[in-house]
Amino acid sequence: MSVPSGPDHGTSIRQCGVLLHPSALPGTPGCGTFGLAARQWIDQLAAAGIAAWQLLPLAPTDGTGSPYSSPSGFALNPWFLDADTLVADGFLDAASAADLPAGSHERLDLEASRLRASALGERLLEHWPAQSQEHRQDFERWRNREDDWLRDHCRYMVLRERHGQQPWWTWPRPLARRGRLALRQLDREASGPLLQEALIQWQLQRQWQQLHRHASRSGVCLIGDLPFYVAHDSADVWANRRLFSVRADGSLTEQSGVPPDYFSDTGQLWGTPVYRWSLHRLTGFRWWMRRLERQLQLLDLLRLDHFRALESYWSVPGQAGTAQEGRWRPSPGAALLTSLKARWQRQQGAGGGRGRSAPALPLIAEDLGVITPEVEALRDRFALPGMKILQFAFDGNADNPYLPANYQGEHWVVYTGTHDNATCLGWWQDLEEDQRRQVGELVGHTIDAPGWQLLELALGSSAQLAVVPLQDLLHLDDQARFNTPGTASGNWTWRLGQPIASLRDPLMGLQGLAQRYGRTGTCAPEVVAGGSR
């Protein structure tokens, strides 16, 4: 493939990254982990001068494996806990890690991942009395620090297990409605399982922080993802029911979705509760502040999914059968982001010295779809970069906003596709002939490697950050697609079927293209978050 010289984009810092969820990492049964393969992946990115690793939400998944419908908005996914690291750090012996339940190495194995995580938790609890005083003190300090979410998360997970994974509103009334005596009794009678859940989360955070430090030392930024809504059946709703559109019996007064559009005559019904924004305002958005600050402790940048709902959201009656019955209702997004920005700047120590610019919010606005001027104004008011998806660019309209020539300024993150798209090869194989011609005309020559050629367009665009899914670097078809929205099975299961070391050549190829287009290996999340449009 011939590569033209890159355009001159002045002196702004331009970066590139790769999208890969930890569940897809190879080498461990059932699911990828925060262990050796993750460290090797960071090393490969750093060696190739790739500035960013983008991930999906790190939260526990629902029963289908989706991290976007999690039982917790604060916890980490127990499937990511790495047994070998626990042995190396002295929390387990080798024998305890050797006889864990087996699982597939080829795809995400939901059942094996659940069984392995449960077995690791049981072993951590068994070995806990023998741990050093230093480890025990570290754990207690951490548990006290995280108590505002951790205590109820642990209770919820224990109760969910006791009640056969049934939703919280089906539990006995004293527990479903969080009676004080019922919770005290639970704390006494289930002290072991509650400790086990807390130990799992502590170890996950220890392992993730080790990875984060390794990435920082290696010059690689970690970009996370935060769903806008939380699941109906979640620790968050159970513990904070009044903040959501949920009755005392657990039924929904309102639910989330999107209105009818070109893709669906009836819209989409998501089934999660919406926020009771009046109560969030009265608390100073305390729950939201805790949720966002928790994520920003774990990550360098955070993509806000469904950003448009911070301006207004589609609210559907709780018992409605389709989203057609919904209506737009305003959200206090400006007030929420103002509060977050003030807290963020205080934490970063901004504003005290002459000539010091206040740090921008380290957020990316997922502003895809039909976006109104009001949503754009909210995004721009807080200087948040928006998103561009190249697979959306070829509808034959010269003013298509996803065409690189139409990007206004540089304050964007451009993707060949995301986890919700087909792989670029799969996308190309399904394109109509007139769309193929349009792609070829823009690229300037025959399309023989769609992922790489869309990547070249992304790298050559004005966007400050260009991100490519690993599947596109590997020229994989839709057998490697991660998620197909609107389908209930077969998603989230793709895993890399080769050693991390074998990725050197495609990553070095990305480095060569990135350098051609003036994209450096510098990890600079503040540039992406604080650029100009």
Side-chain angles (χ1 to χ4, degrees), residues 16 34 172 248 258 355 378 418 447 497:
C16 66
F34 292 158
V258 291
L378 179 66
T418 72
I447 303 298

Side-chain angles (χ1 to χ4, degrees), residues 102-162:
S104 171
H105 285 71
E106 297 177 359
R107 308 287 289 190
L108 175 65
D109 187 330
L110 300 179
E111 182 63 12
S113 298
R114 185 185 67 82
L115 292 173
R116 286 177 65 85
S118 178
L120 276 176
E122 292 169 1
R123 286 159 173 73
L124 284 172
L125 185 62
E126 291 169 6
H127 286 72
W128 186 240
Q131 294 303 314
S132 69
Q133 186 68 16
E134 181 182 4
H135 281 160
R136 296 167 73 86
Q137 289 175 346
D138 286 347
F139 169 72
E140 289 300 332
R141 281 192 293 268
W142 174 83
R143 182 159 64 171
N144 290 334
R145 190 168 60 247
E146 306 294 335
D147 185 67
D148 59 357
W149 68 268
L150 182 66
R151 183 191 301 262
D152 282 321
H153 167 76
C154 294
R155 288 168 168 170
Y156 171 84
M157 296 304 291
V158 169
L159 288 169
R160 200 180 190 207
E161 182 69 22
R162 282 188 171 188

Side-chain angles (χ1 to χ4, degrees), residues 81 100 106 108 133 151 154 226 255 264 354 376 442 452 458 474 498 530:
L81 191 59
L100 293 170
E106 297 177 359
L108 175 65
Q133 186 68 16
R151 183 191 301 262
C154 294
L226 185 69
Q255 59 181 312
S264 172
R354 179 179 297 178
E376 293 175 338
L442 187 59
W452 281 90
L474 300 180
Q498 60 194 78

